[in-house]
């Protein structure tokens, strides 16, 4: 393959990936607005500024796009938490367990769109075995990664966990998601939702930790 052919192939690959990401961005907005079932391929394409041909050159079905979006959301959250862990370790501050967990999860706090999207994914996963497998794997990956962060930080800050690190992470994440959904259903504002999620996860973290 010539240098020009390599450059052309690389350019095509970048354009294809850019198109794919724009479709995922548009899908996240449309899904959050009208739900998975009501969202049409046409609506997603219109929001992204592409034709149906662009959609089907990247995804075979709407469900395939949903699976890709689920994986992207998980990866972004984990990356955000990993960055916060590095920041906390670099600062070297003395933090109690509730404050530590609050800061660890606060960076990945979801706005209304993200909460709605996560709720839609969970609801669809209950009816779709393929999506359920992906969702469960996503959750397991989140729990394992955040569990490893918790274990590392517990050693750094001198905390003794009353559960295993992965169990601790699972309980915290479940409370985080359920409280976010509850806040949405009761009509709390974004700042009120943020405060409530922080309060509940911090209290739970404090109850699940024995300071050394």
């Amino acid at each position: 393959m010539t240098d020009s052919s390599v450059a052309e192939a690389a350019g095509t690959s970048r354009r294809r990936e850019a198109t794919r990401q724009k479709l995922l961005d548009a899908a996240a907005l449309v899904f959050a607005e009208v739900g998975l079932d009501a969202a049409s391929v046409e609506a997603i394409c219109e929001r992204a500024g592409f034709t149906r041909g662009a959609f089907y050159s990247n995804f075979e079905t709407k469900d395939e796009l949903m699976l890709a979006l689920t994986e992207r959301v998980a990866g972004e959250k984990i990356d955000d938490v990993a960055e916060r862990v590095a920041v906390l370790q670099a600062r070297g501050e003395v933090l109690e367990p509730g404050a530590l967990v609050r800061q660890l999860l606060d960076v990945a706090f979801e706005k209304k769109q993200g909460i709605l999207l996560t709720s839609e994914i969970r609801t669809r996963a209950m009816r779709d075995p393929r999506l359920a497998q992906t969702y469960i794997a996503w959750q397991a990956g989140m729990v394992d990664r955040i569990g490893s962060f918790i274990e590392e930080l517990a050693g750094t800050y001198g905390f003794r966990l009353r559960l295993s690190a992965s169990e601790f992470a699972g309980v915290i994440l479940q409370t985080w998601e359920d409280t976010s959904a509850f806040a949405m259903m009761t009509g709390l504002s974004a700042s009120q939702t943020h405060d409530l999620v922080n309060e509940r996860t911090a209290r739970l973290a404090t109850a699940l930790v024995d300071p050394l």
Side-chain angles (χ1 to χ4, degrees), residues 128-158:
D128 185 331
R130 186 183 175 203
L131 182 57
Q133 289 181 347
T134 299
Y135 181 80
I136 291 169
W138 164 37
Q139 285 290 91
M142 287 280 288
V143 167
D144 286 345
R145 287 294 304 279
I146 293 180
S148 68
F149 297 147
I150 292 292
E151 188 170 28
E152 182 178 349
L153 290 171
T156 299
Y157 289 91

Side-chain angles (χ1 to χ4, degrees), residues 14-176:
R14 285 193 296 270
R15 287 192 296 274
R16 180 182 179 83
E17 181 59 24
T19 298
R20 181 182 176 87
Q21 293 306 317
K22 286 183 180 180
L23 286 167
L24 289 172
D25 291 340
L29 294 173
V30 175
F31 288 153
E33 290 171 0
V34 303
L36 298 179
D37 292 333
S40 66
V41 170
E42 289 78 9
I44 293 170
C45 291
E46 182 178 353
R47 181 64 64 90
F50 295 126
T51 64
R52 287 172 59 91
F55 180 94
Y56 287 112
S57 67
N58 286 275
F59 304 101
E60 290 187 7
T61 64
K62 187 175 69 174
D63 284 347
E64 184 179 320
L65 180 147
M66 185 69 255
L67 295 174
L69 184 58
T70 302
E71 293 169 355
R72 190 178 77 165
V73 169
E76 289 173 347
K77 285 184 179 180
I78 290 174
D79 289 344
D80 287 343
V81 173
E83 289 179 12
R84 176 54 61 91
V85 169
V87 169
L88 290 174
Q89 291 178 324
R91 288 177 182 170
E93 297 178 65
V94 177
L95 297 171
E96 53 87 18
L100 182 61
V101 168
R102 185 185 295 114
Q103 290 205 37
L104 187 64
L105 296 180
D106 187 57
V107 70
F109 180 78
E110 295 175 310
K111 300 298 187 293
K112 179 179 179 180
Q113 176 190 321
I115 297 170
L116 287 171
L117 177 59
T118 300
S119 296
E120 284 288 340
I121 293 172
R122 292 172 69 177
T123 300
R124 181 63 170 266
M126 294 177 191
R127 303 191 300 267
D128 185 331
R130 186 183 175 203
L131 182 57
Q133 289 181 347
T134 299
Y135 181 80
I136 291 169
W138 164 37
Q139 285 290 91
M142 287 280 288
V143 167
D144 286 345
R145 287 294 304 279
I146 293 180
S148 68
F149 297 147
I150 292 292
E151 188 170 28
E152 182 178 349
L153 290 171
T156 299
Y157 289 91
F159 301 142
R160 182 171 55 245
L161 304 179
R162 294 181 177 177
L163 302 173
S164 69
S166 61
E167 289 176 317
F168 182 98
V171 170
I172 292 293
L173 287 172
Q174 189 65 58
T175 299
W176 182 33

